[in-house]
Amino acid sequence: MTEIVQILSRGLGIGSMYALLALGFVIIYKSTRVISFAQPAFMLAGAVLVTYLVGPLGFFVALPLAMLGTAMLGWGVERAAIRPMVGRPAFTVAIITLGIDVIIRVVAGAAIGINLRQVGDPWGLKSTTLFGIEVQQRHLAMIVTMTILVAILFAFFQFTTMGLAMRAAAYDQEAALAQGVSVGGVFSLSWAIAGALAAVGGTFAAIGGSVESTLWIIALVALPVIILGGLDSLPGAVIGGLLVGVVQEVIAFYQQSLPEWLGGNVSILTPYLLMLIVLLVRPYGLFGTREVERV
Amino acid sequence: MLYTAYGQEMALFNTLTKKVMVGLLLVLAAVAPLGLVDKDLKLLATACVTAIGAIGLGLVTGYAGQVSLGHAFFLAVGAYTAAVISGNPEGRTLGFGVQEILIWLPAAGIVAGLAGVIVAPLATRLRGLYLAIVTLGLVFIGEYVLREWSEVTGGTGIGRPAPTPALFGQRLDVATPIFDGYVLTRDQRLYWLMLILLVIFALAARNIARSRVGRAFTSIRDRDIAAGVMGVNLARYKTIAFAVSSFYAGCAGALLYVSVGFFVPDSFNLEMSVLFIAMVLIGGAGSISGAILGAFFFTYLPTLTRQIPSDVISGAATDTPNIFQLQLVLYGALIIGFLLFEPRGLFGLWIRVRNFWKAWPFKY
């Protein structure tokens, strides 16, 4: 029982981080029909920004400021490099985001320098006792943060004018435009939101360690997550993220008892294997909408 | 270009100028080793091999429109098949000691091609970005397998020797005297080998592209449902596209490290896949010569940036900013710049230049 709860808390904690990253991908995809491969770079940039701000301001001020900074970065990228590409094939735009990713990652990596940079969070690797079972604080923090952010996002999409506009634009861009929705504004806002979410994801990924330039690889796990949940499904991103996190931790726990030839670290493969299996059965992911194609 | 006859559009080289230019370029490439130093030849040979890989990706992504971010995986399959077949049987890593290039090169291509056929069912079920991400997953799975299977790969950071090329029992990678004490160096011989192979592979690709299969590819790229309605068997041609592309990748992978003589499993990563995609897109998607141009361009990019004097930007990896960072930024900026301003890539630039001079001195 103790072990199950520990695995679950670890899995849900890490899964929350994946979910935050995946939400960014999905929000961008829903509004612009493009997968942004620049998310890993935003994640790294956000975490690096936190390491710079945390010294004078403290973690709980630094994190929102870093979110704001990364959101501005996302907004700027959209205006400069993505907006001119409206109407071009989705794949071409996706490759542009790859180029952006490379550039931002080099700059953020250079900002790390040679010293250890930490996000200076209050949790670290400390654990706490919950119903008599020891769980790590950072995982609880991740779950709580994710829940709060998802609730805010839900409220935003459901109850604000801009949220309604974003839903409308995701549903049908032309019709939304005809109703007076600024579709360009929706594009920018979606990139900004995705940037802010990536900053949170990156910061949480660096908790308990230091910010390194290899951090971005974690964001690539979010890609199987969105495919798993369906490219255009926000609940899918959250459920997919949590699912991948939990499955990964379960496999990590039992991998000693797996056959020798599988190697010692098979849990890092689980997101991709899970994605392959789900896709062979459901080509549009668990919650994605099936596209209706016309010639 | 205005075509007035079907045969003209389907011709290998449709104009006399093109024929002459390609002929001249081939002659120049063939005599290049006589006037260049070994270091340059090594780079040229690498560029030729890279071009073979880029042509392969160009067929599946540029012609058939199936986005593959898993090219590095197929290169790895080819590289390790060849290395195992030609490896030293008594060595640290698995090897069968068959050094004949006529055996290991096709074998590498075929095994990689089979891997492509296995992946193809995914391509027939998935479209566009879904496929891109799944093939990206392939790279990660491949990376993991290579890391763990050290019996074949030699392990992370250690690596194993590259395949040894021998034609009819004669080693191609050793310097040999020909006449009057004139010695053909190792790099001269390897360069000629790679050049000949590139010409063969490029011609084969061009012929695939202008055949029934190639037309099926382009119809799938332009609108797959319409192609299916017109009677193009989507599953079959997508499988063929993946098989051919992986065959090319396998051969390129097998040859890529021959002139270096050594390779590590870490090289077959996502960056390699992205680099190949960049080559195809910046060279010009949907054209063989574009893929070759792109491959040469990206093979030379590091050499070009290294020409920048060290007082402008530091050459040491510990400084910031350094030349390696500049190189990466330049790489990203080139991808963005080209896609924003000249989506047809280098090939498109060439068309602009050509059209300018065609109408000169008039605007159009």
Side-chain angles (χ1 to χ4, degrees), chain A residues 35 85 88 91-92 95 102-103 106 220 227 231 262-263 265-266 268-269 276 279-281 283 293-295, chain B residues 67 125-127 130 133-134 137 140-141 144 147-148 223 225-226 277 281 320 325 328 333 336 339-340:
Chain A
I35 290 185
M85 296 298 287
R88 297 274 185 81
F91 174 62
T92 318
I95 297 298
V102 171
I103 295 178
V106 170
L220 293 177
I227 292 288
L231 269 181
L262 275 174
N265 210 1
V266 79
I268 59 164
L269 274 192
L276 283 182
L279 275 188
L280 280 175
V281 186
E293 283 280 334
R294 253 174 283 177
V295 180
Chain B
V67 179
R125 280 181 72 80
L126 306 170
R127 309 244 310 271
Y130 275 93
I133 293 180
V134 172
F140 283 100
I141 294 171
Y144 179 78
R147 211 163 39 228
E148 295 293 327
R223 203 83 178 103
I225 296 174
I277 284 278
L281 284 181
T320 304
Q325 291 168 341
L328 277 171
I336 301 172
L339 291 180
L340 280 181

Side-chain angles (χ1 to χ4, degrees), chain B residues 241-261:
Chain B
F242 264 94
V244 173
S245 150
S246 318
F247 181 88
Y248 271 72
C251 292
L255 295 166
L256 195 53
Y257 297 101
V258 166
S259 66
V260 182

Side-chain angles (χ1 to χ4, degrees), chain B residues 307-333:
Chain B
Q307 302 296 322
I308 301 172
S310 59
D311 47 324
V312 178
I313 189 158
S314 165
T318 43
D319 291 347
T320 304
N322 64 44
I323 197 115
F324 306 103
Q325 291 168 341
L326 176 77
Q327 196 178 309
L328 277 171
V329 168
L330 206 61
Y331 164 58

Side-chain angles (χ1 to χ4, degrees), chain A residues 19-40:
Chain A
L20 285 179
L21 292 164
L23 275 172
F25 281 101
V26 171
I27 289 172
I28 290 184
Y29 180 80
K30 271 182 92 85
S31 64
T32 60
R33 300 284 140 186
V34 166
I35 290 185
S36 153
F37 286 107
Q39 286 293 94

Side-chain angles (χ1 to χ4, degrees), chain A residues 191-210:
Chain A
W191 272 77
I193 295 177
L197 291 175
V200 183
T203 308
F204 277 91
I207 286 181
S210 60

